[in-house]
Amino acid sequence: MCADGQSDRTASAWMPCKVRSPCGTSSRIQVPRSPPNCSTWPPAAPGAPCGAAVCSSVGTETGTGPADGGTVRVTMLRTGEIHTDGGIPAGTPDLITGAVFVISGAVVDEVLNSGPVITYGPNDMALDNWGQVRTWVATAPVTSHGPSGIGFVNFGDLGRLDIRAPAATHGTGARGFNLYDGSLRCASFDSLATTGDGAVGVQVSRELPRLDIRGDLTTSGGTGASLIRGVQVQLQAIALSIKPGGRIGQVTVGGRIATRGDNLVTLDVTGELDGCQAGGGVQAEGQGSDAVHVHSDGVDLAGSSCGAVTISSSGSSCSSRTVACPA
């Protein structure tokens, strides 16, 4: 569904929508004009892309500002089973696709992914938000196959994210969850798992009051290339990375936070973290790997509840401080 300046429009035939990416280069979403029934597609043999896009024309060069061609307002965007392959050559720095993509200029009350969302190609985003969404819920697995894919990425404004089924990525530089820009008040996942060199589990560069993961947060891999804001960079397969400018109020993980690979860090804090609680502990499996690195001044994690950890700064461990999820 792609419209310009329309209100509560439901498209009977989906159209391609081309937008400018947040890194200032051309980006695209590929959606068939007459989509097949996605629920009948064999997952092992995806054909043409099949997905959903809600967008308007973009009002800034970065692609993340208000639309200059009107606003698309949607009460609910509901999707069934979706399989996509954007067909982008591996290593391409300036193109992405989205299986479910809310783009700048779109204002959506609720997104509900009631069927599995699976991507197969390089730079394919399974769930991607650049617009304004009040609530985004997925009740079926979210899976990405291919380098530099992402399970969920946010550049826009989102109130609450709730992924109620496993989220997993497979591929070099593929990540589970990225809060790059915009705002997000509360994020929760059933579980998050990434596999591949440079495959970060969670990467946060903005304010996130609360992150809840009911099961495990795990990564397996080493160092590899990943697409970050239009540039291929080298990343470690860190389980939870809080970057400079990023802050998480409370991290609560029901299972374990773990990495499997050499010379890795499981929990890496160069931003801010108020509190962390992991029922299964924080673990680093591999030669030369550490469980926790805290690089920031003023990070207070006194009162460990995260199991045995190795910490690079003195006086830091994990805390059971509780932060309420904003309404």
Side-chain angles (χ1 to χ4, degrees):
M1 179 166 58
C2 180
D4 186 0
Q6 300 296 316
S7 176
D8 295 327
R9 174 178 174 179
T10 301
S12 58
W14 298 351
M15 303 289 288
C17 179
K18 185 174 183 178
V19 298
R20 187 176 295 275
S21 75
C23 52
T25 53
S26 179
S27 181
R28 72 185 181 212
I29 306 165
Q30 295 184 335
V31 183
R33 186 177 300 273
S34 299
N37 183 348
C38 295
S39 63
T40 65
W41 281 15
C50 182
V54 180
C55 63
S56 180
S57 57
V58 176
T60 69
E61 285 300 308
T62 63
T64 56
D68 61 4
T71 300
V72 178
R73 297 187 180 274
V74 177
T75 301
M76 172 176 282
L77 171 64
R78 184 195 300 267
T79 67
E81 185 170 354
I82 293 178
H83 297 263
T84 73
D85 186 339
I88 298 174
T92 300
D94 59 351
L95 291 175
I96 63 171
T97 68
V100 181
F101 208 158
V102 176
I103 306 175
S104 303
V107 179
V108 183
D109 289 341
E110 182 178 1
V111 177
L112 175 59
N113 307 123
S114 57
V117 178
I118 306 172
T119 67
Y120 298 90
N123 302 5
D124 286 347
M125 312 292 111
L127 309 177
D128 197 344
N129 176 50
W130 295 0
Q132 299 179 46
V133 179
R134 186 178 65 189
T135 303
W136 193 312
V137 176
T139 59
V142 177
T143 309
S144 171
H145 300 274
S148 292
I150 303 179
F152 189 98
V153 59
N154 187 72
F155 282 97
D157 296 318
L158 175 57
R160 181 172 64 92
L161 171 66
D162 189 4
I163 309 298
R164 301 174 184 173
T169 68
H170 307 272
T172 301
R175 285 144 285 153
F177 166 51
N178 271 162
L179 175 55
Y180 271 140
D181 212 333
S183 64
L184 174 56
R185 293 190 295 173
C186 186
S188 59
F189 294 84
D190 181 77
S191 63
L192 271 169
T194 65
T195 303
D197 293 341
V200 177
V202 173
Q203 189 176 72
V204 173
S205 302
R206 289 292 185 267
E207 175 87 11
L208 177 59
R210 182 160 181 170
L211 171 64
D212 294 320
I213 300 174
R214 292 175 284 272
D216 294 334
L217 168 59
T218 62
T219 68
S220 178
T223 300
S226 183
L227 178 64
I228 303 292
R229 295 181 180 270
V231 179
Q232 293 284 345
V233 301
Q234 294 292 310
L235 290 181
Q236 288 185 318
I238 298 169
L240 174 56
S241 173
I242 304 176
K243 305 297 288 183
R247 174 184 173 271
I248 302 181
Q250 172 71 26
V251 175
T252 303
V253 179
R256 62 193 184 114
I257 306 175
T259 57
R260 178 177 296 173
D262 296 340
N263 303 311
L264 298 178
V265 179
T266 303
L267 171 58
D268 190 56
V269 182
T270 53
E272 298 181 41
L273 173 61
D274 291 350
C276 171
Q277 185 174 13
V282 180
Q283 304 167 10
E285 303 175 11
Q287 292 184 348
S289 295
D290 287 336
V292 178
H293 282 186
V294 178
H295 308 279
S296 303
D297 294 333
V299 176
D300 181 11
L301 302 178
S304 175
S305 60
C306 286
V309 295
T310 301
I311 301 166
S312 62
S313 62
S314 61
S316 297
S317 56
C318 284
S319 166
S320 59
R321 174 182 173 186
T322 299
V323 177
C325 179

